[in-house]
Amino acid sequence: MPIECIPYSETGYFSPIMCDYLAEKSTLKPFYNRFPTLENFEAQIKEKQESNLTDKSQREVLVKALLKQYHDFDNSVFTLGNIAKLTKENTFTITTGHQLNLFTGPLYFLYKIISTINLSSELKRQYPQYDFVPIYWMASEDHDFDEISYFNYKGKKVRWNREASGAVGELSTKGLDEVFEEFSKKLGTSDNAKYLQSLFEDGYLKHNNLADATRYIANELFKQYGLVIVDGNDKALKQLFIPFVEDELFKQTTHKKVLETAEKLTEVNDSYKIQVNPREINLFYITEGIRERIIEKNGVFTVNNTSVRWNSAQLKQEVHEYPARFSPNALLRPLYQEIILPNLCYIGGGGELAYWLELKSYFEAVHVTFPMLLLRNSAVVKTEKQSKKMEKLNISNADLFLKREAFITKKVKELSEIKIDFTSQKEHLQQQFKDLYILAEQTDKSFIGAVAAQETKQLKGLAHLEKRLLTAQKKGLKDKVSRSTELQEGLFPKNSLQERKQNFSELYLEYGENLIPTLIKHLQPLSGEFLVLEL
C-alpha cells in the first residue's frame, strides 16, 4: 500500500500560524501549554491530576450524564467500558469536536475521530498505567444551519432544504425522508451502497432530532473502537459550568484576556489571522427555537432579538435554575469542554487550533488546565487506477498540491517541444547590463539611471514574451494537459483538499467496511505530516 508523507508547510494549504506552530517556533510558545509529543504527555497528566476539576464527584456527574445520553442506543462493550473507566482517577480523555453536518459532512470528520482514537491507543502503549478515552464532542448547540445542511456527493450538493432556528441538535429530522430518497438514487445497488442507505435511513428517519441522529451514525461507524460521544447540551453537565457562566456574565474575563492575546499574536506576526474575536459576553441564551446572544448595557441584561431582560440578581437566579439555557459560543466552548472532561489534548483543524491559541491566558485567569493542541491528520486518498494514471502522465504527489494554474504551467512546460523558460536569456541580459553599469561608472555616472531603466524595460519585455509563448503553448497542448488536470480535479476538487469537499460515502462505495480500519492503520496523529495514501 504505497504512501508518502509531505510536510504541512510544503502543501500550500495551511496557514502561517499553523506552519509556525508545527515548526515549534519560539515566538508562539507563550500561546500554548505543551507541544504534543509522547514524552510531553507525562507532565500534562500530572498537571491534570492536580486540577480540582477532575475529582470523583465531577467524574460521576459526567458518567451519569453519558449513560443517560446513550440510553436508547446500541452500544458496544468497548464504548460502555470506556464510559465506566471515566469514573477512575487514572483515566483521561483525548477530544475532538465537530458540527452536526448532514451525513458527517466533509471527509475530515473521519480523520478527526480517527486521530483521536489512534492517539488514545498510542498513549496507552506509552503509559500503560493510565487509560485514555477517545471523545467526539458534538457541537449540538451551534445555530448555523446553513453550514451543516448539506454534504457533497460526486461534486454536487445533497441538501436538506428547510427553515431552521435555535440549537441545531434539537432540530426535528422531519423532511429528511426526501433527502434519503434523493441520495439513495445516486448510490446505486451495490452492497456498499445498501449499507450507506441503511445507515442514513436508520440515523435520520428513526431518530427524532439531529443530535440523536448524528450520535447514531458516529456510533455505528466507530463504536468498535470505543469512541465516546458527548452532547454538551445537557442540564447536569451545564450545572458544572455555572461558576464560569457567572464569571462570563458579571466579570467578562474572556473578553479582556482574549483581546490581549489577539493583540500579542498580531505583534508576533502580522500575517496571523485572528480566527475569532471575543464579545463582551460570549454566551447565548437558548430555549425552544431560539439561540440568541446575551447583551449587557448599564447593568441590564437582554437576549438579542427578544423581549427577555434581567437585572443582575434575576440573571444569577436564572443561571442557577436553568443552567442548560446558557450556551457557550466558539470561544467559550473550549473552556466548557475542559471543565467537564478529564482532558489532556484537543485535536482539531488548523482554523480551530488558531482560535485555541487565543485562549491560554484566559484559561490561566480562571485556573483551568490548558490542554495540549494537536493538528488532526490530513490525507488525500488515491485509487490504484489513479496512481497508475499519475505515473503514466508523469505527475508526482507533490505536483498534486500545486494550485491549478501553477499545475497547468508545469505540465505545459514538460510537454512542450519548445523551451518556454527564458531564465538563461534573462541571466545573459543581466550580465550584459552589469558591463554597461561598469562603463557608466567609468564615464558618466548620470548614465546609470538610463541604464537601469533600459534593463527594467528589456527584462519586462522578455517576461512578456515568455508569458505569450506559454499562453500559446497552453492552447496548443490543451487536450494533452486536460488529462492531467482532470486527474488533479478528481483528487483536489475545486482546487481544494479532497477532505474538505468529499463525503466519506464516495470512498465507502469503493472500499466498503475496509475503509475505516485501513485509515486507522495508516493515520498517525503525531507524525506531523500530510499523508498521500493509495487504497
Side-chain angles (χ1 to χ4, degrees), residues 103 153 180 183-200 505 508-510 512:
F103 212 45
Y153 180 76
F180 171 67
F183 183 44
S184 293
K185 291 174 184 176
K186 299 175 186 290
L187 286 171
T189 58
S190 68
D191 288 344
N192 291 342
K194 288 175 182 176
Y195 172 78
L196 291 169
Q197 289 167 355
S198 67
L199 183 65
F200 191 104
S505 57
Y508 195 93
L509 274 180
E510 183 81 21

Side-chain angles (χ1 to χ4, degrees), residues 262-282:
E263 289 175 8
K264 290 176 182 176
L265 275 169
T266 53
E267 287 171 8
V268 168
N269 189 329
D270 59 12
S271 72
Y272 292 168
K273 181 182 176 183
I274 299 305
Q275 202 70 20
V276 181
N277 287 303
R279 298 186 181 277
E280 291 183 353
I281 295 176
N282 294 277

